Every structure is written in C-alpha cells, then in structure tokens.
Amino acid sequence: MAEDPLKYDALIERALKGVVREVLETVREEGLPGEHHFYITFRTEYPGVEIADHLRERYPGEMTIVLQHQFWGLEVEPTRFSVSLSFSGVPHKLVVPYAAIVAFADPSVRFGLQFENSQDGDEPEEEAAPETPDETAPEAEEAPQDKVITLDSFRKR
C-alpha cells in the first residue's frame, strides 16, 4: 500500500495528544477533581525531554510518572508541559514534549490512550509532557483497558 500523503495517522495522534494537553490545562487551572489521577509514560531520550541525568539513567527509554498527590508548578504550553515532582524526597522539574508521550491513563475513570510513538519528524520536537512524584515507575500498574484508544483502530488493514 502506498504511503498516505495526508498522513492521517499523524493527524489523529496529534489530535489525541491535544486531549492530554487540554486535560493538563484544566488541572493547571482548577486542580485535580475528585479521584482523578494520571499515569503518563514518555520516551526519556526524545528531543526536548528535560529530566535529571540520574533519572534518565534509571529510566532509559521510557518513564512513567503519576500526577496525583504531590506535584507542583504544572505549566502547560502548546508543545510541551513541565511539572515538579519529588523523587526520593528531592524535587525535580521535568519538561516533556507531547510528542514524547507514548501512553496516558486516568485509572479513576478507566480511560487510557496509547500512541504509536510517531516517527521523529511527524510532530514538532518542542512538544512536552508532565511528571509526578515518587510514584513514578515503569512498572506502575497497567493502564485500564476498558477505554484504551489505540491508533490501530483507525488504520486500514
């Protein structure tokens, strides 16, 4: 099959990452409502990701953060977000382009998104994503599967 010149896959992925951005903007303005909390997994080596060297060494490839009880300084920009979290009692600011995000989940409502992890160049490198405190761990609980949306559901077979 020939490559799609309209790149629907990339368009859909950017639109779904816009959902993540809007949710984070709401949380920045109003705080986390009720029992909502987020697991955000992102590629640590993606251009524009800013994390402490020891965290990058501890989580080579991917890192999952949790935004729930202890986070502060959440900033939401058009292409990235930043947040401060505590790791082993030490605060760290993380900057994550939305393009680096590979998964987003809100277990309180059994909602999740998984991204195909766009080819570099499909999305602007400046995009970023948020992080969380000591609850950050790649082995964090799995994203709920009831409402997980993957890009495969939009692809032709």
Side-chain angles (χ1 to χ4, degrees):
M1 181 189 315
E3 184 178 327
D4 178 10
L6 296 177
K7 299 184 180 182
Y8 284 111
D9 294 350
L11 293 170
I12 291 167
E13 185 160 311
R14 278 195 298 274
L16 291 174
K17 286 184 179 180
V19 170
V20 174
R21 184 181 63 248
E22 287 188 40
V23 165
L24 293 175
E25 182 65 30
T26 299
V27 169
R28 185 192 67 76
E29 293 173 2
E30 303 171 14
L32 276 169
E35 297 298 315
H36 288 276
H37 59 287
F38 312 129
Y39 289 92
I40 301 170
T41 302
F42 62 94
R43 292 177 23 202
T44 58
E45 300 297 330
Y46 195 87
V49 169
E50 298 175 22
I51 60 174
D53 290 340
H54 74 278
L55 292 174
R56 192 179 312 272
E57 290 171 12
R58 185 172 176 190
Y59 302 103
E62 290 184 357
M63 178 179 193
T64 298
I65 58 168
V66 180
L67 295 183
Q68 188 169 13
H69 299 297
Q70 296 181 334
F71 68 92
W72 58 97
L74 177 61
E75 297 176 22
V76 181
E77 299 176 33
T79 60
R80 65 186 190 167
F81 73 94
S82 62
V83 67
S84 292
L85 302 169
S86 178
F87 296 88
S88 301
V90 179
H92 291 282
K93 181 178 180 179
L94 301 117
V95 177
V96 182
Y98 300 114
I101 297 174
V102 296
F104 173 87
D106 182 345
S108 71
V109 292
R110 301 186 61 78
F111 177 79
L113 297 169
Q114 290 182 322
F115 301 103
E116 287 295 310
N117 212 4
S118 300
Q119 299 293 329
D120 292 345
D122 282 351
E123 296 185 73
E125 290 182 3
E126 311 88 57
E127 294 195 11
E131 296 200 11
T132 62
D134 292 323
E135 300 160 299
T136 301
E139 56 276 347
E141 71 184 65
E142 292 289 320
Q145 299 300 311
D146 286 358
K147 298 179 186 173
V148 173
I149 300 169
T150 65
L151 291 181
D152 286 340
S153 60
F154 298 100
R155 297 185 197 285
K156 287 186 178 180
R157 298 271 180 221

